[in-house]
Each structure stands twice: as structure tokens, then as C-alpha cells.
Amino acid sequence: MSSLNAQNLQLQGIYNSSSRRRHPAHYPKCVNQLFGAFARSSLPKFPELTSAGVSIQPDSRFQVGSSRFLVTRCVSDKFSDSIEPDSGHVGLPSQMADRGNGSIVDILKQANSLLPHVVLASTLMALVYPPSFTWFTTRYYAPALGFLMFAVGLNSNEKDFVEAFSRPAAILAGYIGQFAVKPILGYLFGILSVSMFGLPTPIGAGIMLVSCVSGAQLSNYATFLTDPQLAPLSIVMTSLSTATAVVVTPLLSLLLIGKRLPVDVKGMVSSITQIVVAPIAAGLFLNRFFPRISSAIRPFLPPLSVLVTACCVGAPLAINVESVMSPFGVTILSLIVAFHLSAFVIGYFVTGLAFHDAPDLKALQRTISYETGMQSSLLGLALANKFFQDPLVAVPPAISTVIMSLMGFSLVMIWAKKKEA
């Protein structure tokens, strides 16, 4: 006991010589930080600890020669609960070390914030200098989309979906917008492109094909930027349409364009399974059973996804730039813009009528508008290149990939400014 008191007096003397003082009201019940390489950390007085029967044991994480503080754990003789460190008194060197270690990871995680700018830059570069993207040929579309689907699965958490599934009416509304409203609009604009504007039949088929695919993962990110609290709901909507696209997309394609161009339903089911279902399942499996591996690779997914998205946006436009710049290219562009604009508007205003009593009505309107107006045009492009012999079928999906992204993020900027006002 005398040796312990001597140690306490020694520590108390060091504390009294320090230039820093703490108000008695801020004293913790026990001390959680002792000296490491820096002896300027504040320490409380110890006689009250010895009288309380508290012993101090060094934590196993201490390393000799470390510049970090030695974090200790106070263990009471009467209680086995460990006491948390006093986070309000962490030393500056420790904060700098943590900040240095996390800065690169933070930068990688924030790469998605550049996505709107990257989409615009890719569009301009593809138009000005097509060879910058022509190397990304059609054979890379399926693996690229598979990678994006894998990223979605790896970043998904079952807990997020539990809360989102508490709003089945909203999920159903998003699903109807994706696989009912959009196909009707696609059919109407496809018929108009051929009958009124005199475009080739494959162009009309391409517009219809775009309307048959599942929701776009970019809609999840758009929702996150404007209404982060509804991002899980958007993910559920997109995931549901993506999962059922294995059956719904081929059937809708057969229904809308089956009489005009041959549709390989079995092949499309197999392709969607490989491109969409398998990567998402792999990401979910890895995230669930191998969390350490998932945590290690997750920070690298945002910049890689931005890079892949840039290629997926720029390459179709660069490869089909002659068709886009042709006399009927402006007509196709106008039809695609009208198609997406109609979907955005219908999704927004119909949601306002159907959920007028919702407490978060405006946020829900924006979320379902994104879900209705944005779809996986890249999947339509991959299907067009694989299952339709005429290359003109791929022109509408190629244009839609760009227009859908630009219109969606334009709405993000408009709605975000309105929320700030």
C-alpha cells in the first residue's frame, strides 16, 4: 500500500507541474489515459481512486516506443464493467495520427461527389474527341455493369431494408412507375418515332427497350444527395426492380417489340442473371460473411465506380457519335429527352396526389421521381448489342445513358438549392 501511495504522489506531482488544469466537475471516476511519448496529457489525482478500490491496468494495445498515448483500462475490484476513455481529452498528436490515417480513405469514399461533373466531362469528351472512349468497346459493357451491381451488393445492409420495407405503398408506387408508367411511355414514344418522325423501326425498338429495363443505381445516389433519409427506400425500389428484371424485362421486351424484332427471352434471362443478380448476390455474401474483406475493399469502390461510370457514359456516345450527329440524331435526342422528362414529371406529380398525407411528401416525390425517370440504360445497351443484330437499336440506349444522368443530376442541383433557400 505504501508503494502504491508513493506512485500516486509521484503522479500527482507530475500533474501539478503541468500547465493544464481541469475543473473538478470534469473529473472522471477513473483515469483512462496515461503518459505515452507525450507527457503533457492531463491526469486526475489518484487518492480518491485508491480509496475506492480501483486498480489501473495497462491496455494490451500499448506498444513500446509508440508516440500515441497509452490507453488504460480501469477495472474495479467490485465491478467488471470497463470504463470508456475520456474522449474529450484526447491529445493532439493522437488526433493528427488518426486524421492522417483516415484522410486517404475519406477522399476515396467521397469520390462519388464528383460523379455529376464526371458525367458531364465524359459527355463533352466523347463528342469532342471520340477516340478517348472508343477503346471501351461493347464487350466491356457487361463486366462494367456487373462491377457496379457488385458495388451495390457490397454496400447494402439488411438493416437498411427493414426500415424501408415498412413503407410498402411507396415501394409499390416506385415499382409501378418503373415497370408500368415507363413501358407505356416507351411504347408511345417508340411508335411516334416511326410513324410521325419517320425514323427506322430499330430506333423505335431501342426506345422501347430502354423503357423495359430496371431502375438505375444513380437514382439511389441522387436521392442521397437531396434526401439522404430516403436513400434506403430508393435502394429497395431499385433492388426490387433489378431483381425482378430477370423476368419482367424480357417479357416486356417481347410484349412491346417482339413482333417487330426477334427477342431471345431465354438468352436475356441468362444475361441479366449473370450481369445483375450474380454480382449483387456476391456482394451481399461477401459483406455478410467476410466483413473484414468487405471493409478493406469498400473504400476503393467509389472511385472505381466513378471511373467505370465515366467509361459507360462516354463510350456508347463516342462509338455512336456518327449516328448521334446524323440528321436524325437530333430527332432521337429530342425524343429521349421528352421520354425521360415525361417520366420525371409523372413520377413527381402522381406521387403528390397518391401520398398527399405523407409527412415527408416532398422528399418522397423527389425519390419516386428519380426512380421513375432514371433507369439502367446501360443494361438496355448491353442487351441491344447482344440480342439485336441491327446496330441502330443500340443508339437510343446510348443516348439515354447520357441524357438520363444529366437530367437526374440537374434535378439534384435544382432541388438541393430549393431546400437551402
Side-chain angles (χ1 to χ4, degrees):
M1 178 64 71
S2 60
S3 62
L4 179 59
N5 291 332
Q7 292 177 0
N8 291 341
L9 291 174
Q10 182 180 3
L11 290 173
Q12 181 177 350
I14 295 174
Y15 169 72
N16 291 332
S17 64
S18 174
S19 61
R20 296 170 57 185
R21 294 293 184 268
R22 296 173 59 182
H23 192 277
H26 294 162
Y27 283 159
K29 292 182 64 177
C30 64
V31 180
N32 299 317
Q33 296 176 347
L34 291 179
F35 285 29
F38 300 93
R40 296 177 60 103
S41 173
S42 58
L43 290 174
K45 301 178 180 181
F46 284 87
E48 58 184 4
L49 299 181
T50 56
S51 62
V54 177
S55 61
I56 301 177
Q57 300 176 355
D59 188 47
S60 60
R61 290 173 289 176
F62 172 68
Q63 296 179 357
V64 178
S66 173
S67 63
R68 297 176 61 88
F69 287 106
L70 172 60
V71 181
T72 62
R73 186 168 47 200
C74 301
V75 183
S76 173
D77 293 337
K78 297 181 180 180
F79 304 99
S80 60
D81 295 338
S82 62
I83 302 178
E84 295 293 330
D86 184 10
S87 59
H89 300 277
V90 179
L92 179 60
S94 177
Q95 290 178 340
M96 293 177 62
D98 291 339
R99 210 174 280 171
N101 293 335
S103 60
I104 297 178
V105 175
D106 293 339
I107 292 174
L108 293 175
K109 290 181 178 179
Q110 294 173 3
N112 279 335
S113 62
L114 300 175
L115 192 56
H117 308 286
V118 170
V119 169
L120 180 59
S122 302
T123 302
L124 296 177
M125 187 175 295
L127 293 174
V128 174
Y129 187 66
S132 59
F133 287 104
T134 51
W135 60 271
F136 197 82
T137 57
T138 55
R139 65 177 179 175
Y140 296 118
Y141 292 166
L145 184 59
F147 172 78
L148 295 177
M149 296 298 103
F150 172 76
V152 171
L154 193 67
N155 285 282
S156 298
N157 192 318
E158 59 273 10
K159 294 181 180 179
D160 296 332
F161 297 106
V162 171
E163 182 178 354
F165 273 112
S166 64
R167 308 183 69 170
I171 296 174
L172 179 61
Y175 192 84
I176 292 175
Q178 190 62 242
F179 282 137
V181 175
K182 287 291 281 294
I184 293 174
L185 291 175
Y187 183 79
L188 293 177
F189 281 99
I191 294 296
L192 287 176
S193 67
V194 177
S195 60
M196 182 177 294
F197 295 97
L199 296 177
T201 300
I203 296 297
I207 296 175
M208 295 179 189
L209 181 62
V210 168
S211 68
C212 296
V213 295
S214 58
Q217 279 66 44
L218 288 180
S219 65
N220 308 149
Y221 184 60
T223 300
F224 173 77
L225 292 177
T226 53
D227 304 285
Q229 73 278 9
L230 291 184
L233 179 64
S234 177
I235 293 173
V236 169
M237 292 179 183
T238 304
S239 300
L240 182 61
S241 66
T242 301
T244 56
V246 178
V247 177
V248 178
T249 295
L251 292 179
L252 286 174
S253 301
L254 180 62
L255 177 65
L256 297 184
I257 61 179
K259 294 182 179 180
R260 292 171 175 80
L261 293 172
V263 177
D264 184 0
V265 177
K266 292 183 180 180
M268 291 180 78
V269 170
S270 175
S271 182
I272 293 175
T273 301
Q274 297 174 20
I275 295 174
V276 177
V277 178
I280 289 180
L284 289 172
F285 178 83
L286 194 65
N287 191 30
R288 178 65 178 84
F289 295 102
F290 300 95
R292 291 187 178 180
I293 298 177
S294 299
S295 300
I297 66 177
R298 190 176 288 113
F300 298 95
L301 292 180
L304 291 176
S305 298
V306 170
L307 179 62
V308 170
T309 302
C311 293
C312 292
V313 170
L317 190 59
I319 293 174
N320 297 278
V321 67
E322 294 182 358
S323 299
V324 174
M325 302 301 291
S326 64
F328 62 83
V330 177
T331 305
I332 300 175
L333 180 63
S334 302
L335 288 169
I336 294 297
V337 169
F339 165 69
H340 284 289
L341 181 61
S342 301
F344 279 118
V345 170
I346 292 175
Y348 186 85
F349 286 104
V350 172
T351 302
L353 295 175
F355 299 92
H356 57 87
D357 293 331
D360 54 349
L361 177 59
K362 292 298 181 181
L364 186 60
Q365 284 181 278
R366 290 188 287 264
T367 299
I368 296 183
S369 178
Y370 289 137
E371 193 66 25
T372 307
M374 305 175 74
Q375 77 288 320
S376 184
S377 301
L378 188 61
L379 176 60
L381 182 62
L383 296 175
N385 286 318
K386 186 169 184 178
F387 296 105
F388 297 93
Q389 296 180 354
D390 197 318
L392 290 178
V393 178
V395 175
I399 297 177
S400 175
T401 302
V402 179
I403 296 302
M404 176 265 299
S405 302
L406 292 177
M407 293 183 70
F409 288 111
S410 296
L411 287 175
V412 167
M413 291 185 288
I414 293 173
W415 281 331
K417 288 182 179 179
K418 285 186 176 181
K419 288 183 65 178
E420 294 176 356

